[in-house]
Amino acid sequence: MSRPDRAPTLKEIAERAGVHVSTASRVLRQPEPVDGWSESALRVREVAAELGYRPNLWAASLRTRRTTTLGVVMPRLTDGVVATTYQGIEEAATKAGYSVLLSSPPDDLEAQRRAITLLVGRQVDGLLLSSLHIPGRPFVESLGLGQLPILTVTRHADAGLPFVVGDDYRGGALAARHLLDRGYTDLAIIAGPDHASTARDRRDGFLDTLREASIEVPAARIIPSSFDVSGGVEAGRTLLDRPDRPRAIFAVSDTIAIGILGVARDLGLSVPDDLAVVGYNDIPVVAQLPVPLTTVRSPAHDIGVAAVRRLLDLVRDGDAESMRLPVELVVRASS
């Protein structure tokens, strides 16, 4: 029996549960198996809970040289899509028995560098980086992180690292094909920031699909922007407050598209009669807009879950496959 003034030992738990101490140790340090706990494992966990057992993570990390902690650098966490991805990361890490250390710096490289340095100093077992800038490889090489497992999530950034992203190129192609099928040929794109591989891939998928249909979008109708509503407002005014405005616009994020819809309203334009709009991501609010938004649904939560699984593959085996998760078009009233 353990004394109330000290933590119970694994030996005491094993004796009370009627198992070998190695069995008790294994049960208490691993996540729940896919097929559930065995009867003896449940008994071990019940005894441990009754005695108030808490694993000594520091001692375990000294033995294994692992901290069961993952570092995540994720700017723009106030963005709903980014937050949903992080929710998937947190859930998958917890299920695997890992803790997450999160840093959410501004979306610029020096701020990300400081965040990465901080997390590496906490001896994380691996890093998830969500917002590297194109080209990502020189930045990653400049970090000098040696063999630390690193995986990029959401943006691959041409970094030469394993990644888990949505199939953004296909998403842009889906948007283009939809507008072509609806008879639109007078088109424009609000293309997001130049440094984001998500924006670039969506833009390229859109423009390449149009070229295959012998439609070339003039450079003046390919407008860079920030990812937020204000970016959509600024770019929307550039495109719409003129007599030769396009008949349809593809925005590489829903927040950009919301800004466009606001500009169209202010100019007295009817959507979709005067202007068709397609967004990207399918954030919850766009289905509830006065004119519900046609958009490309990207699996943000699943991207977070898959990113953790692939990073843990890197931690365990030193190798992981990159993934592009499927996206789908959701057609509503805006186009």
Side-chain angles (χ1 to χ4, degrees):
M1 177 73 73
S2 65
R3 299 196 309 268
D5 60 343
R6 68 171 176 83
T9 66
L10 281 171
K11 182 179 179 182
E12 290 167 344
I13 293 170
E15 289 176 350
R16 186 98 163 251
V19 300
H20 193 274
V21 67
S22 63
T23 300
S25 175
R26 184 177 65 255
V27 168
L28 293 173
R29 72 171 185 266
Q30 71 180 25
E32 182 176 0
V34 174
D35 55 355
W37 298 110
S38 66
E39 183 177 340
S40 61
L42 284 172
R43 192 163 61 250
V44 169
R45 296 180 67 83
E46 288 169 1
V47 170
E50 179 184 338
L51 297 180
Y53 174 77
R54 295 290 183 272
N56 187 334
L57 298 178
W58 287 108
S61 68
L62 288 173
R63 290 194 304 271
T64 64
R65 296 190 178 182
R66 291 183 179 173
T67 60
T68 60
T69 302
L70 304 178
V72 178
V73 179
M74 185 162 276
R76 299 174 53 244
L77 199 60
T78 54
D79 182 293
V81 178
V82 177
T84 301
T85 302
Y86 178 71
Q87 183 182 40
I89 290 171
E90 181 81 36
E91 290 176 6
T94 299
K95 187 173 182 179
Y98 279 73
S99 300
V100 175
L101 289 179
L102 169 68
S103 182
S104 185
D107 190 6
D108 71 75
L109 290 183
E110 287 312 305
Q112 291 186 51
R113 184 187 300 276
R114 291 190 295 270
I116 292 168
T117 300
L118 173 66
L119 293 175
V120 172
R122 300 294 181 89
Q123 298 184 322
V124 295
D125 293 338
L127 278 176
L128 287 175
L129 306 180
S130 78
S131 294
L132 292 180
H133 292 194
I134 302 170
R137 189 186 293 270
F139 175 76
V140 171
E141 291 176 350
S142 76
L143 295 171
L145 298 181
Q147 299 302 309
L148 180 68
I150 308 173
L151 183 139
T152 61
V153 56
T154 303
R155 297 181 192 172
H156 58 77
D158 300 336
L161 294 170
F163 59 79
V164 176
V165 301
D167 193 346
D168 293 304
Y169 184 92
R170 173 167 169 74
L174 288 173
R177 178 52 56 192
H178 168 72
L179 291 172
L180 290 172
D181 289 346
R182 293 295 174 96
Y184 294 104
T185 57
D186 188 8
L187 303 165
I189 177 172
I190 301 183
D194 292 334
H195 64 254
S197 59
T198 46
R200 183 199 63 187
D201 291 352
R202 294 167 193 176
R203 178 200 68 198
D204 289 353
F206 183 77
L207 295 177
D208 288 351
T209 301
L210 295 181
R211 289 189 190 103
E212 290 171 4
S214 300
I215 295 173
E216 194 75 32
V217 177
R221 287 191 172 183
I222 305 170
I223 310 295
S225 71
S226 61
F227 271 127
D228 52 17
V229 173
S230 62
V233 170
E234 182 178 354
R237 286 175 179 156
T238 299
L239 286 171
L240 297 177
D241 195 9
R242 53 193 301 165
D244 59 340
R245 59 178 173 260
R247 280 285 292 115
I249 297 177
F250 171 48
V252 299
S253 80
D254 287 341
T255 45
I256 293 172
I258 289 170
I260 298 168
L261 294 174
V263 173
R265 176 204 59 212
D266 293 345
L267 294 174
L269 301 176
S270 174
V271 176
D273 295 334
D274 300 319
L275 175 72
V277 181
V278 176
Y280 204 106
N281 284 318
D282 196 27
I283 61 176
V285 70
V286 299
Q288 308 305 322
L289 294 172
V291 180
L293 183 68
T294 294
T295 185
V296 178
R297 179 178 294 155
S298 185
H301 181 274
D302 293 348
I303 288 171
V305 171
V308 169
R309 292 173 178 168
R310 289 296 180 267
L311 180 60
L312 293 180
D313 288 343
L314 271 176
V315 171
R316 287 188 295 261
D317 306 325
D319 189 30
E321 292 184 2
S322 295
M323 294 182 67
R324 296 182 189 270
L325 273 63
V327 300
E328 61 179 316
L329 184 73
V330 181
V331 179
R332 300 193 179 101
S334 70
S335 65

